[in-house]
């Protein structure tokens, strides 16, 4: 469990990091918090020629509000996001998800951008930013571009980011009045990756869900919007029937695979249970608002 | 035998017995000053890494090591065949006490065939571990894959490949205990209930992995092995014999050990190979198992399937119990302790607390192309206790009797000893009744019943579990390792010496792995000698320094080693008093030792400090009569003479909540009442119980070595193999009943493992108590959410 031989470069500027990425492309790995990358290196599951350490790029860290959106720099540590009053006020969904992201020690090092760049299908943050309609900014020597979260996650650990691009920031629209959020996941132990989970951002009118983003994680190869489940309840007064309808429709949205965490049937069952619970909570919050 | 004289020593003002002192090593290790094997680096140390079989079963056609040997920093490449030439022969993991048992010869590294995924095949030794790993990647092996035997259920079927053709079949061992008239009892029983169970494989996952630093000095022909180990003398004997070094030239040192749990009482081929490399190279060789290789090379445990039936009368008496166990061990029986002790213990202890006579228990142990299994904390007990207590609960439920009432009626009474458990194992000094009553009070059983009933109306399903047990601890010589042919001492020993300063050196054969064995030994010695604790230094874990002993396993350190310390300390005390009597011209009988001074017995008047005895005894012998030559040291050994084990007993209670929609369990509270005889250090005993419970809960809920049909381990990393973590663990309340064993004067029994033994069973009982309204019962461990949902028919 010793990492293979590789070259290490500590970037002192974004420009330098981009130049190195342009030169080495696929052969380079960006090192952010290292919480996911270091184990894969030590297990020799990946063998980059070059490691580009971006931890000194202070410009990439920070949380601010700009134009009704919260901007989270890629290098912002999970712990900083969890503690942020801005996030608590404007992105309560993310604030609620944060304690589920790993453990304190991992959150102290792990970065928001790292989680998004990694695109683990069981991770919380990709699901949250998809539910919230975020935009991801990447940059290379070729220039900067914005990618909608809906276009960013392409598959298992696969994203729209090109090998020479650095993830710069994530912009997430502030939660508007009249919308409610809810977040739930099931993991075997506190801090583990989820075996089922859902991030919900809903628009409600009294007891009626008028529209919602229900994003499931830990089921598919990427965070997945459940259009059918939402269609089953949209415009209807929340009731036992609509709960059952949403749960039933979920099998048209999700087709989980058997894996070490359990069988497909087990995982679909859990997502169904969470569907009912998360919408119950959303309605409850709408009532309270 | 316990006598009042001894008891008064333990209860007197001088006594350190029954005091909750913190572990001697606690402050040091928390401050980062622990010194583990990997912290020791000798000049010229090189590092070993291993190429391991990627297949569960495959023939080695060709090994090409040329590229690896040519790599910079590589100092040695050794194949299994080359290691075999440097060894005295293969091991055979059988013991004569297991009649009819068979196992194939096993080499330290695979010679022409690998029999499990992870078996070491080639060793590379290099200047650094990373270089050794680089070189391992350059070794090319041509394999011919052979179909593996992966399932215990079909291992004995005609069509199943036989792992070791010379053995004829895949059967390792079979044994049946048959007592009373089981068939008649079932035939005439009022009620017969049947159930089948399965228990998953798991492994120890010690925080510090296996670690070894071998240092052969060609000049002195001495071999020094630093190793994270519980049994230095066994390692000395096995390594010396395997590698042809005279035993007395081998020194084994176990420095700080970061957890072991039975893992570190076995012989591992990679460690032998690294030691052989040191002999070959004449320089120190270090091998630290990394986490990934630990999963496929540390011993595994459990993996049993059991069918059981119980006969009960309408009145509520157990009439008979029958169990049929199938255990899948690994590719070889572990050397030298075997892989069948676990199954044997299942037969011995199942339904151990109860007073019925018709008992039949059979085990069939089969070989599989998997990692060898062997002794792991609370050997066999989690299985036997889960099965026995579940059957008892089912009987009570069927009769409509409260599970506590049923147990009250059926446990062996506290005045029934000496006696025998249903399996026929002798038991003595037990306290099932007292423990049960204490537990009921501790957990407020009636209150829990009320709360459970109220919550059920709200759709909240909570369950209350009770599980009693007997636990084999501190084995004696009868029918045990040593008499079975293994180089393992069942006795343990202590030497205590008075130093010129008046301080005492206490050397013991038992070892500390972080549980505080050294602290406890110090408390015993200080009490027997009458000196302050800080005047004693306990030395353990070094075969050059300590008297020969078995080491620490099977909850034996305090029960066996502690008695040796007590006896040796009493001898030294007598000698000190004799010498003081001569110096003071007083009758030794009128003197005592209190607070490190010889005093007048009774009045406590200080007569002479021990430093004076030490000074005169070492430097001023002329002050003593010529015919008197004090040694100021004493050595005593202790072994059991009457019993094969000191069985202990106790009982657990558990309160759990089942989310019947998700199958998730919440452990709300756990209670333990334990009788480990005389309590030397209540705090350390409690912590052993708690840690043990957590380990048991790990097996019950989380830990599982998952194999596919090709016998490939699927979850061999800490990301996928789930160990219990603090957030999910319940508060564990521990209480004690103290019934000293009559085997020793000290009266201590073992306490290290019982938590692990009973925790899985009590949680299974609690879960099933919660699921009772659904008419469902979980009988598979680990009890994952998926298992619970399947039991409920929800998926
Ligand atoms: C024990 C444990 C439990 C965990 N549990 C969870 C959990 O429950 N939920 C969860 O979501 N995560 C979990 N994680 C993962 C953790 O959240 C990681 O920190 C996170 O996934 C990656 O962030 P990082 O900064 O550590 O990235 P790194 O490990 O440094 O990098 C991860 C990947 O992203 C790339 N990358 C990182 N930053 C950039 C960038 N700015 N531009 C381009 N590429 C980049 C890297 O090249 C690498 O491929 C867990 C980790 C551990 C060790």
């Amino acid at each position: 469990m010793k990492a293979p031989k590789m070259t290490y470069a500590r970037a002192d500027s974004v420009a330098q990091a981009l130049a190195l990425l342009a030169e080495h492309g696929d052969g380079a790995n960006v090192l952010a918090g290292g919480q996911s990358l270091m184990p894969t290196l030590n297990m020799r599951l990946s063998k980059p020629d070059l490691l580009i350490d971006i931890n000194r790029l202070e410009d990439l860290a920070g949380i601010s509000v700009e134009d009704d959106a919260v901007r989270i720099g890629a290098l912002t540590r999970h712990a900083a996001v969890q503690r942020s009053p801005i996030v608590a006020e404007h992105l309560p969904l993310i604030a609620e998800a944060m304690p589920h992201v790993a453990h304190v020690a991992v959150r102290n090092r792990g970065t928001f951008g790292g989680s998004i760049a990694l695109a683990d299908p069981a991770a919380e943050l990709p699901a949250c930013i998809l539910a919230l309609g975020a935009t991801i900014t990447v940059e290379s020597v070729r220039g900067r571009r914005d990618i909608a979260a809906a276009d960013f996650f392409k598959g298992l650990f696969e994203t729209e980011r090109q090998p020479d691009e650095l993830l710069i920031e994530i912009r997430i629209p502030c939660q508007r009045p009249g919308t409610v959020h809810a977040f739930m996941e099931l993991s075997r132990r506190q801090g583990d990756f989820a075996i089922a989970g859902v991030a919900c951002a809903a628009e409600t009118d009294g007891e009626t869900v008028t529209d919602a983003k229900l994003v499931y994680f830990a089921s598919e190869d990427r965070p997945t919007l459940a259009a059918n489940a939402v269609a089953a309840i949209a415009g209807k007064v929340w009731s036992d029937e609509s709960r059952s309808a949403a749960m039933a429709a979920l099998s048209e949205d999700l087709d989980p695979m058997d894996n070490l965490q359990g069988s497909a049937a087990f995982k679909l069952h859990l997502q169904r249970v969470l569907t009912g619970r998360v919408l119950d909570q959303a309605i409850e919050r709408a009532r309270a608002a | 035998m316990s006598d009042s004289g001894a008891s008064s020593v333990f209860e007197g003002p001088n006594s350190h017995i029954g005091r909750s002192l913190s572990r001697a090593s606690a402050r040091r290790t928390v401050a980062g000053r622990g010194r583990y094997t990997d912290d020791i680096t000798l000049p010229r140390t090189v590092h070993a890494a291993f190429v391991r079989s990627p297949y569960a079963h495959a023939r080695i056609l060709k090994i090409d090591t040329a590229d690896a040997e040519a790599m910079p920093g590589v100092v040695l490449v050794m194949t299994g065949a080359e290691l075999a030439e440097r060894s005295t022969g293969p091991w055979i993991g059988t013991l004569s006490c297991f009649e009819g048992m068979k196992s194939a010869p096993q080499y330290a590294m695979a010679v022409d065939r690998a029999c499990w995924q992870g078996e070491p095949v080639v060793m590379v030794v290099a200047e650094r571990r990373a270089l050794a790993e680089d070189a391992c990647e350059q070794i090319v092996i041509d394999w011919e894959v052979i179909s593996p035997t992966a399932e215990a259920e079909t291992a004995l079927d005609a069509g199943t490949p036989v792992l070791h053709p010379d053995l004829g079949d895949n059967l390792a061992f079979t044994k049946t205990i048959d007592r009373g008239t089981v068939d008649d009892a079932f035939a005439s029983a009022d009620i017969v209930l049947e159930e089948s169970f399965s228990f998953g494989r798991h492994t120890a996952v010690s925080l510090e992995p296996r670690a070894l630093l071998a240092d052969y000095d060609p000049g002195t022909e001495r071999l020094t092995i630093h190793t994270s180990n519980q049994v230095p003398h066994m390692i000395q004997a096995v390594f010396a014999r395997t590698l042809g070094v005279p035993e007395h030239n081998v020194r084994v040192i176990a420095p700080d050990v970061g957890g072991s749990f039975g893992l570190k009482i076995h012989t591992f081929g990679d460690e032998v190979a690294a030691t052989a490399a040191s002999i070959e190279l004449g320089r120190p060789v270090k091998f630290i198992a990394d986490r990934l290789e630990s999963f496929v090379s540390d011993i595994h445990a459990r993996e049993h399937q059991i069918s059981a039936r119980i006969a009960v009368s309408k009145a509520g008496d157990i009439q008979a119990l029958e169990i049929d166990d199938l255990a899948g061990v690994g590719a070889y029986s572990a050397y030298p302790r075997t892989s069948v002790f676990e199954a044997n213990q299942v037969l011995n202890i199942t339904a151990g607390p109860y007073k019925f006579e018709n008992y039949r228990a059979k085990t069939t142990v089969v070989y599989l192309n998997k990692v060898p299994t062997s002794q792991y904390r609370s050997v066999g007990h989690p299985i036997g206790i889960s099965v026995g207590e579940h059957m008892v609960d089912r009987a009570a439920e069927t009769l409509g009797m409260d599970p506590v009432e049923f147990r009250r009626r059926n446990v062996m009474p506290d005045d029934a000893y000496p006696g025998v458990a249903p399996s026929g194992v002798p038991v003595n000094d037990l306290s099932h009744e007292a423990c049960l009553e204490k537990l009921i009070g501790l957990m407020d059983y009636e209150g829990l019943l009320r709360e459970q009933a109220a919550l059920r109306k709200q759709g909240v399903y909570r369950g209350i579990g009770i599980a009693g047990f007997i636990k084999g601890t501190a084995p004696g010589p009868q029918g045990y390792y040593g008499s079975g042919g293994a180089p393992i001492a069942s006795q343990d020993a202590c030497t205590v010496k008075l130093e010129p300063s008046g301080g005492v050196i206490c050397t013991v054969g038992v070892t500390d792995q972080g549980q505080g064995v050294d602290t406890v030994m110090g408390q015993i010695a200080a009490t027997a000698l009458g000196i302050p604790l800080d005047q004693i230094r306990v030395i353990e874990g070094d075969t050059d320094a300590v008297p020969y002993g078995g080491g620490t396993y099977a909850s034996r350190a305090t029960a066996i080693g502690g008695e040796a310390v007590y006896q040796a300390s009493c001898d030294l005390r007598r000698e000190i008093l004799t010498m003081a009597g001569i110096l003071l011209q007083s009758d030794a009988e009128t003197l005592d030792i209190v607070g490190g001074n010889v005093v007048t017995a009774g009045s406590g008047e200080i007569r002479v400090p021990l430093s004076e005895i030490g000074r005169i005894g070492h430097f001023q012998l002329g002050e003593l009569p010529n015919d008197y030559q004090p040694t100021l040291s004493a050595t005593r050994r202790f072994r059991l003479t009457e019993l094969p084990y000191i069985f202990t007993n106790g009982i657990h209670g558990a309160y759990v909540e089942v989310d019947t929609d998700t199958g998730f369990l919440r452990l709300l509270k756990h209670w333990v009442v334990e009788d480990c005889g005389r309590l030397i250090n209540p705090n350390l005993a409690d912590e052993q119980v708690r840690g043990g419970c957590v380990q048991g809960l790990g097996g019950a809920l989380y830990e599982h070595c998952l194999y596919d049909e090709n016998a490939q381990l699927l979850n061999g990393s800490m990301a996928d193999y789930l160990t219990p973590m603090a957030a999910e663990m319940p508060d564990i309340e521990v209480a004690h009943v103290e019934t000293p064993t009559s085997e020793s004067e000290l009266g201590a029994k073992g306490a290290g493992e019982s938590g692990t033994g009973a925790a899985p069973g009590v949680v299974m009982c609690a879960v099933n108590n919660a699921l009772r309204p659904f008419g469902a019962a979980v009988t598979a461990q680990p009890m994952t959410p998926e298992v619970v949902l399947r039991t409920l028919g929800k998926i």
Side-chain angles (χ1 to χ4, degrees):
Chain A
M1 284 232 302
K2 301 286 180 201
K5 208 168 172 175
M6 63 202 146
T7 307
Y8 168 90
R10 199 188 72 215
D12 291 321
S13 67
V14 170
Q16 189 197 357
L18 297 183
L20 286 167
L21 277 171
E23 190 184 333
H24 295 270
D26 254 344
N29 261 182
V30 172
L31 174 67
Q35 299 303 297
S36 300
L37 186 55
M38 291 313 294
T40 62
L41 294 178
N42 283 341
M43 293 185 195
R44 300 194 173 201
L45 297 173
S46 80
K47 297 184 180 181
D49 301 325
L50 174 70
L51 212 54
I52 307 173
D53 184 347
I54 61 168
N55 281 281
R56 300 278 175 102
L57 305 184
E58 291 297 326
D59 297 353
L60 290 186
I63 301 171
S64 57
V65 189
E66 284 165 27
D67 307 332
D68 288 340
V70 177
R71 175 200 159 274
I72 302 180
L75 197 65
T76 313
R77 310 284 165 188
H78 294 316
V81 177
Q82 191 176 3
R83 281 194 303 263
S84 162
I86 295 178
V87 171
E89 183 182 348
H90 297 294
L91 303 173
L93 177 68
I94 293 198
E96 200 162 301
M98 255 4 264
H100 296 276
V101 179
H103 317 268
V104 174
V106 176
R107 291 197 293 266
N108 283 340
R109 290 294 300 168
T111 64
F112 200 89
S115 276
I116 305 304
L118 183 65
D120 189 302
E124 294 81 5
L125 298 176
C128 290
I129 69 161
L130 181 56
L132 296 173
T135 305
I136 294 131
T137 303
V138 296
E139 187 174 350
S140 69
V141 291
R142 297 175 287 121
R144 257 189 192 231
R145 62 183 182 122
D146 288 342
I147 308 166
D151 301 325
F152 188 77
F153 301 104
K154 308 285 278 186
L156 201 64
F157 302 106
E158 254 182 63
T159 67
E160 181 57 28
R161 183 184 72 86
Q162 298 306 304
D164 65 340
E165 287 176 320
L166 187 67
L167 208 154
I168 302 292
E169 66 185 34
I170 296 99
R171 266 174 295 122
I172 310 167
C174 298
Q175 182 163 326
R176 292 190 315 277
T179 59
V180 287
H181 73 280
F183 179 92
M184 282 181 187
E185 76 167 52
L186 291 165
S187 62
R188 291 294 305 283
R189 303 169 305 177
Q190 170 66 41
D192 280 352
F193 278 105
I195 53 175
V198 57
C200 164
E203 286 167 31
T204 53
D205 181 2
E207 301 282 294
T208 305
V209 176
T210 50
D211 194 9
K213 293 267 181 60
L214 282 180
V215 180
Y216 290 83
F217 53 103
S219 278
E220 305 294 302
D221 63 356
R222 70 197 87 170
T224 304
L225 271 164
N228 293 296
V230 173
I233 53 168
K236 300 197 181 99
V237 176
W238 183 242
S239 64
D240 284 349
E241 286 96 285
S242 53
R243 184 190 296 104
S244 303
M247 287 165 74
L250 201 62
S251 56
E252 290 157 49
D253 293 309
L254 300 180
D255 184 15
M257 283 190 326
D258 291 344
N259 65 11
L260 284 176
Q261 277 69 50
S263 66
F266 169 61
K267 289 196 274 182
L268 185 61
H269 172 87
L270 294 183
Q271 296 288 34
R272 285 201 162 117
V273 172
L274 289 185
T275 303
R277 291 182 179 178
V278 88
L279 287 167
D280 277 343
Q281 191 180 67
I283 296 292
E284 191 100 347
R285 286 179 174 171
R287 269 191 213 124
Chain B
M1 290 288 122
S2 260
D3 61 52
S4 55
S7 309
S8 63
V9 171
F10 305 132
E11 277 135 36
N14 234 352
S15 176
H16 299 274
I17 304 290
R19 284 178 56 196
S20 286
L21 303 166
S22 54
R23 287 182 291 125
S25 62
R27 183 184 295 271
R28 183 171 61 78
T29 45
V30 168
R33 297 233 165 231
R35 191 173 141 97
Y36 300 89
T37 300
D38 199 18
D39 295 322
I40 304 166
T41 297
L42 302 169
R44 301 175 67 241
T45 295
V46 284
H47 301 263
F50 291 85
V51 178
R52 296 177 181 276
S53 173
Y55 302 109
H57 203 184
R59 205 161 280 120
I60 301 166
L61 301 179
K62 185 162 169 273
I63 301 178
D64 184 349
T65 60
D67 287 352
E69 277 169 77
M71 288 175 72
V74 171
V75 297
L76 180 70
V77 176
M78 195 190 279
T79 65
E82 288 162 351
L83 176 58
E85 284 167 24
R86 290 159 177 76
S87 307
T88 54
W91 304 308
I92 299 184
T94 57
L95 287 173
S96 61
C97 51
F98 296 120
E99 210 178 306
M101 166 177 197
K102 56 192 198 225
S103 183
Q106 182 192 1
Y107 289 90
M109 291 201 288
V111 171
D112 49 17
R113 187 171 61 115
C115 288
W116 82 85
Q117 175 215 0
E119 185 172 0
V121 182
V122 185
M123 170 176 57
V124 176
V125 182
E127 301 284 349
R128 294 198 311 276
R129 170 79 185 217
L131 294 177
E133 289 186 23
D134 288 347
C136 282
E137 289 184 346
Q138 301 308 317
I139 289 171
V140 183
I141 303 176
D142 289 348
W143 295 99
E144 180 191 315
V145 177
I146 314 170
S147 53
T149 302
E151 305 247 310
E153 300 95 305
T154 53
L156 297 178
D157 292 358
T160 303
V162 174
L163 243 85
H164 305 292
D166 288 349
L167 299 184
D169 56 25
N170 289 322
L171 182 67
F173 178 59
T174 179
K175 175 179 172 177
T176 304
I177 292 174
D178 197 348
R179 289 175 55 85
T181 52
V182 173
D183 291 330
D184 292 350
F186 275 104
S188 62
D190 294 341
I191 296 164
V192 175
L193 299 161
E194 296 185 21
E195 193 74 84
S196 51
F197 302 83
S198 77
F199 298 89
R201 213 173 230 261
H202 45 274
T203 184
V205 199
S206 54
L207 205 52
E208 183 206 18
R210 292 188 292 109
L212 171 136
L213 172 64
D215 178 23
Y216 183 73
D217 177 351
T220 59
E221 299 183 354
R222 292 219 51 193
L223 172 64
T224 303
I225 304 172
H226 301 79
T227 176
S228 179
N229 205 275
Q230 307 168 236
V231 288
H233 281 111
M234 186 201 97
I235 295 296
Q236 179 192 47
V238 171
F239 280 49
R241 292 171 192 194
T242 303
L243 296 172
V245 182
E247 256 166 70
H248 58 273
N249 280 355
V250 178
R251 176 183 184 189
V252 177
I253 300 170
D256 283 335
V257 173
S260 48
F261 316 116
L263 162 65
K264 296 169 182 173
I265 58 172
H266 304 289
T267 315
F268 293 94
D270 44 23
E271 296 177 14
V272 170
T275 307
S278 176
I279 296 172
E280 177 94 7
L281 293 167
R283 62 193 286 191
V285 176
K286 184 181 276 191
F287 168 62
I288 311 292
D290 72 29
R291 195 52 76 185
L292 296 182
E293 64 189 337
S294 294
F295 275 108
V296 292
S297 62
D298 289 1
I299 53 105
H300 290 182
R302 325 294 192 224
E303 190 170 355
H304 287 243
Q305 288 159 54
I306 291 191
S307 55
R309 57 179 187 143
I310 190 168
V312 279
S313 70
K314 284 200 181 108
D317 295 312
I318 303 173
Q319 294 170 315
L321 182 75
E322 178 167 19
I323 62 169
D324 190 352
D325 171 45
L326 173 66
V329 294
Y332 298 93
S333 171
Y335 181 81
R337 291 172 194 260
T338 84
S339 299
V340 308
F341 246 97
E342 185 175 80
N344 195 57
Q345 285 298 51
V346 172
L347 307 194
N348 279 343
I349 64 97
T350 299
Y354 303 104
K355 53 171 189 211
F356 65 96
E357 276 155 17
N358 304 311
Y359 178 75
R360 186 186 293 140
K362 178 183 179 205
T363 188
T364 306
V365 183
V366 297
Y367 289 114
L368 303 174
N369 287 104
K370 295 184 181 175
V371 175
T373 63
S374 196
Q375 277 75 295
Y376 163 56
R377 200 171 191 179
S378 210
V379 183
H381 290 69
I383 295 154
I385 294 167
S386 294
V387 169
E389 292 303 279
H390 178 84
M391 296 312 286
V392 161
D393 269 5
R394 281 222 33 212
E397 181 197 0
T398 307
L399 291 164
M401 237 167 130
D402 182 272
V404 168
E405 206 42 57
F406 187 88
R407 284 174 172 80
R408 270 194 190 119
R409 189 179 172 97
N410 281 281
V411 292
M412 287 177 81
D414 291 356
D415 59 4
Y417 304 101
V420 291
S423 66
V425 296
V427 289
N428 201 0
D429 315 305
L430 302 186
S431 58
H432 292 298
E433 292 178 319
C435 287
L436 176 61
E437 296 315 322
K438 192 158 187 170
L439 178 78
I440 298 312
L442 197 65
M443 65 197 287
D444 181 19
Y445 184 68
E446 297 297 327
L448 290 179
L449 285 175
R450 282 192 299 275
E451 184 175 278
Q452 178 188 41
L455 286 170
R456 244 176 223 182
K457 292 193 192 116
Q458 301 164 30
V460 174
Y461 293 92
R462 290 194 172 177
I464 305 162
I466 308 269
F469 65 87
I470 58 169
K471 167 76 185 76
T473 75
Q478 292 176 35
Y480 192 55
Y481 294 126
S483 63
I488 300 170
S490 60
Q491 56 79 25
D492 231 292
C494 168
T495 298
V496 280
K497 299 183 276 193
L498 182 73
E499 301 289 289
S501 63
V504 167
I505 299 287
C506 173
T507 61
V508 292
V510 294
T511 54
D512 178 55
Q513 292 81 43
Q515 69 277 66
V517 165
D518 46 355
T519 306
V520 164
M521 297 303 141
Q523 286 180 254
I524 296 166
T527 302
L529 282 162
I531 64 175
L533 256 180
D534 60 9
Q535 241 166 282
I536 296 188
R537 191 154 66 87
V538 178
I539 296 174
E540 43 86 29
D542 181 349
T543 57
D544 263 11
V546 306
Y548 208 96
T552 295
Y553 52 88
S555 304
R556 73 189 289 280
T558 305
I560 304 288
E563 179 70 6
V565 170
Y566 179 68
Q567 295 297 346
S569 303
C570 289
D571 281 1
L572 180 60
R573 178 179 179 278
R574 275 188 285 274
E575 176 158 72
I576 291 168
L577 290 180
T578 304
M579 185 175 143
I582 292 168
L583 288 170
L584 299 168
Q585 297 180 342
S586 305
D587 184 350
E589 297 289 308
T590 66
L591 302 172
D592 194 2
I593 307 175
V594 175
N597 296 304
V598 175
V599 301
T600 304
S603 78
E605 180 203 345
I606 295 179
R607 304 288 296 279
V608 55
L610 287 196
S611 54
E612 198 52 17
I613 301 284
R615 190 185 64 78
I616 296 169
H618 290 282
F619 304 140
Q620 302 280 329
L621 284 162
E623 292 181 23
L624 294 171
N626 287 344
D627 61 352
Y628 179 66
Q629 180 62 285
T631 58
L632 295 183
S633 78
T635 298
R636 285 290 283 267
R637 289 179 147 201
F638 180 67
R639 66 173 200 274
L640 297 193
T641 48
E642 302 299 319
L643 295 171
Y645 283 89
I646 300 177
F647 272 96
T648 69
N649 71 286
I651 190 162
H652 288 210
Y655 194 39
V656 307
E657 186 172 309
V658 183
D659 181 334
T660 55
D661 290 326
T662 63
F664 275 63
L665 308 178
R666 258 177 69 210
L667 306 175
L668 300 169
K669 181 94 195 209
H670 201 105
W671 299 266
V672 178
V673 180
E674 168 95 14
D675 187 345
C676 56
R678 190 179 313 284
L679 274 171
I680 313 299
N681 184 321
N683 190 32
L684 293 185
D686 288 0
E687 292 312 317
Q688 280 301 300
V689 171
R690 288 198 181 92
C693 283
V694 169
Q695 215 151 11
L697 294 172
L701 266 54
Y702 300 106
E703 299 186 50
H704 200 179
C705 299
L706 295 166
Y707 277 89
D708 70 8
E709 65 281 5
N710 292 316
Q712 289 279 325
L713 182 65
L714 300 173
N715 61 338
S717 82
M718 293 303 282
D720 296 320
Y721 181 94
L722 307 184
T723 51
M725 304 287 273
E728 285 72 34
M729 290 299 107
D731 184 24
I732 301 167
E733 204 173 315
V734 185
H736 300 270
V737 168
E738 282 187 73
T739 315
T741 174
S742 20
E743 281 278 306
S744 69
E745 276 184 49
L746 186 62
K749 306 170 184 170
E753 302 174 282
S754 61
T756 309
V762 77
V763 170
M764 196 164 91
C765 288
V767 168
N768 289 332
N769 182 257
L771 296 185
R772 201 133 293 159
F774 300 89
V778 175
T779 56
Q781 293 181 17
M783 295 176 275
T784 64
E786 185 161 7
V787 165
V788 173
L789 288 178
R790 286 196 191 286
T791 304
L792 287 168
K794 299 218 170 171
I795 50 172

